[in-house]
Amino acid sequence: MRWWGWGDPAHPAGLPAAALDFLAQTVGVAAHPRAPVALDNVRLPAASLSEASLSRLRAIVGAGHVREDRGERVAHAAGKGYPDLVRLRAGEPEGAPDAVVLPGDTLQVGAVLALCARESLAVVPFGGGTSVVGGVEPLRGVHSGVVCLDMRRMGGVVELDGASRTVTVQGGIRAPALERHLGERGLTLGHYPQSFEYVSLGGCAATRSAGQASSGYGAIERMVLGLRLSAPAGEIELPAIPASAAGPSLRQLLIGSEGTLGVICELALRVRAAPSERVYEGLFFEDFSAGVEVLRELAQQGASPDVARLSDEQETRMSLALAGSGGVKGRLGRLYLGARGYGDGCLAIFGFEGGERDVHVRRAQALGVARAGGALSVGRSPGEAWRAGRFSAPYLRDELLTHGVMVETLETATQWSNLRRLHSAVTRAIEAALTDCGTPGLVMCHVSHLYETGASLYFTFVARQREGEEIAQWRSVKEAASAAIVQGGGTITHHHAVGRDHAPWMRAEVGDTGVGALRALKAELDPTEIMNPGKLLA
């Protein structure tokens, strides 16, 4: 992973000329590209761990698995949120871990946590490092140092129970590695967040991740049947059972705990037969409201596609522009849609996965509902294009930052009866905040992750950066959007997690008593409060 951005350093850089022209005309771009600083020019605080503490850590995990070099410290200095990347590219991260520790098994994790509790060292669990809400910032709080606990050595498959269709894995296993292992045996987990290429399954569980196909496969909390958590106070091991009435669900308390209670060392996950058929296609709706109504009908009839995404008008225009719709083919497509009354409409992507007959039956039902709601089918090309590029947006963000363009995302969820009202309120709040910053921009949204009672809203906003004030500009917009979400009846986060960025709004979400209950659980499992300070309950 690039230390200053996203993904494979060999990934080709550059924006299509049409996309760059569109951005220059709509939001403005920097006069000259702004490259990240060289690694050697990144400013790091001096490491503060004593040689005695380092020696004790080495005795637990092995001398080669305690890292203090510049490259490792920078790579673990932040996640992949907008403020993270702005600071990293400028060579000015807020901080860095004093050491990166790589445990090899659960016993070593427990021993490291016990040592850190005795010596007042903060511990930040680190899976794929893909957090976009400040979830892996190396904050030390009141402690004398901070250790990053990187789980990459704990990335194996422990057991596959084919009869029960469950797989037990170590918490550090990466999603692609697990899918390869399952795919060779005709199985799949079906969990595909946008961070799929790098994310760890322990990290997915810790942040209540929802994959792009969650409308069909379910989000991670529906996939986790059992887990093993190592906390400073001891270990919790919950077996992989299909259901239980044994009191409040500890599984659900630990899923979403974001490293603040302990480290998820093992997971038992339900898996399914790998699909033999995949069909992804595009539809156009006359407007956003018509598309929302169809998605509601599908969810409440139990006919949702596995992937169901509806872009609003602005996101549809932006998507077509970035795809180069200014060409002959694009102009012909716009004429075709315009002639049928969909010229300023909304693009939806429907994706179906499963056995051939199952896909045929479900697709026919879903398309029947969509057409009755006014949808125009535009074939498989848009769906296949989305599927081919489903993990590419973070690379695009890096390119936009190079051209002086702020691009950020945020998400929420609410009931169907409130969905359009919340969509309008958050859009207006972001637009107003951008205007107040002197950088009016584009605000886009899509609906995804369908439920019988509601759905998520995923916003993207784009504006010219205020050079030298990038973080203040971002914070103004983020605070305005978050206030609009909370006041408008949405959750502060549907799947990005709380981390550092959303912690100020947790009390509004769960109330004073709820925050107190979570603090009591933390006091029981992490009495010295070393686990991931400043996150979730800050």
Side-chain angles (χ1 to χ4, degrees):
M1 184 97 86
R2 292 166 170 150
W3 63 265
W4 51 264
W6 184 262
D8 184 356
H11 189 274
L15 283 171
L20 193 56
D21 288 344
F22 175 81
L23 290 167
Q25 294 168 18
T26 54
V27 300
V29 299
H32 305 286
R34 303 170 183 171
V37 303
L39 180 60
D40 288 343
N41 293 332
V42 176
R43 298 182 185 179
L44 290 181
S48 62
L49 290 193
S50 68
E51 187 55 40
S53 293
L54 290 169
S55 295
R56 285 188 280 271
L57 287 169
R58 293 183 190 113
I60 295 171
V61 301
H65 303 307
V66 177
R67 310 284 176 79
E68 309 160 75
D69 60 278
R70 167 177 286 270
E72 287 284 356
R73 292 185 70 207
V74 170
H76 294 82
K80 301 300 180 184
Y82 177 80
D84 296 328
L85 300 185
V86 168
R87 293 183 180 115
L88 286 172
R89 290 168 66 95
E92 307 238 355
E94 279 193 297
D98 297 302
V100 179
V101 178
L102 286 71
D105 57 39
T106 303
L107 290 176
Q108 289 184 5
V109 171
V112 169
L113 296 187
L115 173 65
C116 290
R118 289 195 303 272
E119 302 197 3
S120 189
L121 301 177
V123 178
V124 179
F126 194 99
T130 60
S131 172
V132 294
V133 292
V136 294
E137 310 294 81
L139 307 178
R140 67 187 63 208
V142 299
H143 302 288
S144 60
V146 57
V147 166
C148 180
L149 197 70
D150 189 309
M151 298 292 286
R152 67 180 181 258
R153 288 180 63 213
M154 295 176 62
V157 174
V158 177
E159 181 186 16
L160 178 63
D161 182 342
S164 305
R165 285 194 176 171
T166 61
V167 63
T168 302
V169 298
Q170 292 179 303
I173 192 169
R174 299 295 176 91
L178 177 57
E179 278 299 327
R180 284 193 297 270
H181 181 89
L182 295 174
E184 291 167 358
R185 293 155 180 82
L187 299 168
T188 184
L189 181 65
H191 192 64
Y192 292 97
Q194 193 172 76
S195 54
F196 171 80
E197 295 169 306
Y198 292 95
V199 78
S200 71
L201 267 299
C204 287
T207 56
R208 300 189 79 89
S209 168
Q212 293 169 336
S214 70
S215 296
Y217 289 95
I220 197 72
E221 66 263 23
R222 291 179 55 191
M223 300 177 177
V224 177
L225 302 177
L227 57 81
R228 186 177 182 184
L229 178 105
S230 184
E235 189 175 285
I236 296 177
E237 187 166 6
L238 304 172
I241 48 180
S244 172
S249 173
L250 277 175
R251 289 167 187 79
Q252 291 303 315
L253 280 173
L254 299 179
I255 298 168
S257 56
E258 300 190 27
T260 63
L261 304 178
V263 182
I264 297 175
C265 294
E266 284 188 9
L267 293 159
L269 303 158
R270 71 109 177 96
V271 296
R272 296 181 178 177
S276 59
E277 183 84 0
R278 290 185 174 92
V279 177
Y280 283 74
E281 57 199 309
L283 299 94
F284 254 83
F285 289 93
E286 185 175 356
D287 56 34
F288 188 63
S289 292
V292 167
E293 188 60 23
V294 164
L295 295 187
R296 183 187 66 80
E297 287 283 344
L298 290 171
Q300 293 177 348
Q301 289 185 26
S304 296
D306 299 296
V307 172
R309 297 166 65 91
L310 171 70
S311 295
D312 67 7
E313 289 86 351
Q314 186 67 277
E315 185 171 279
T316 298
R317 283 193 290 271
M318 179 73 161
S319 298
L320 293 173
L322 292 180
S325 64
V328 173
K329 186 176 180 180
R331 287 196 297 273
L332 289 174
R334 297 302 289 176
L335 288 171
Y336 172 80
L337 292 168
R340 286 155 178 79
Y342 298 85
D344 291 315
C346 296
L347 174 66
I349 301 296
F350 283 10
F352 305 88
E353 299 190 359
E356 184 176 354
R357 175 170 174 72
D358 169 67
V359 166
H360 175 77
V361 171
R362 290 193 297 119
R363 178 173 176 266
Q365 182 181 1
L367 292 184
V369 172
R371 288 173 182 139
L376 175 68
S377 295
V378 291
R380 298 193 183 183
S381 292
E384 290 303 323
W386 176 84
R387 184 167 171 248
R390 65 195 300 183
F391 307 130
S392 62
Y395 289 104
L396 176 61
R397 179 179 58 174
D398 286 346
E399 292 303 313
L400 295 177
L401 287 171
T402 295
H403 289 283
V405 176
M406 173 174 69
V407 56
E408 175 64 307
T409 62
L410 52 89
E411 34 69 65
T412 182
T414 192
Q415 293 179 296
W416 289 113
S417 59
N418 189 46
L419 196 82
R420 277 162 281 193
R421 184 164 54 247
L422 186 62
H423 169 260
S424 296
V426 177
T427 299
R428 289 196 303 269
I430 297 173
E431 289 174 341
L434 288 171
T435 299
D436 288 345
C437 289
T439 54
L442 303 177
V443 183
M444 299 156 278
C445 183
H446 66 256
V447 178
S448 58
H449 309 291
L450 311 185
Y451 307 92
E452 283 188 55
T453 59
S456 73
L457 290 167
Y458 192 100
F459 292 87
T460 302
F461 56 90
V462 180
R464 179 178 50 81
Q465 286 181 320
R466 287 177 58 177
E467 191 170 3
E469 301 179 55
E470 294 90 349
I471 302 300
Q473 177 193 26
W474 167 83
R475 185 171 289 111
S476 294
V477 183
K478 180 71 174 178
E479 290 178 354
S482 297
I485 285 170
V486 170
Q487 293 165 11
T491 175
I492 193 60
T493 176
H494 172 262
H495 60 268
H496 280 175
V498 175
R500 185 186 187 186
D501 295 351
H502 295 144
W505 288 275
M506 268 296 283
R507 198 170 297 274
E509 177 100 2
V510 303
D512 291 342
T513 304
V515 169
L518 292 173
R519 288 196 184 281
L521 179 60
K522 182 171 176 65
E524 180 67 27
L525 295 178
D526 179 25
T528 56
E529 298 191 353
I530 62 169
M531 297 305 304
N532 213 9
K535 322 299 166 39
L536 189 64
L537 295 173

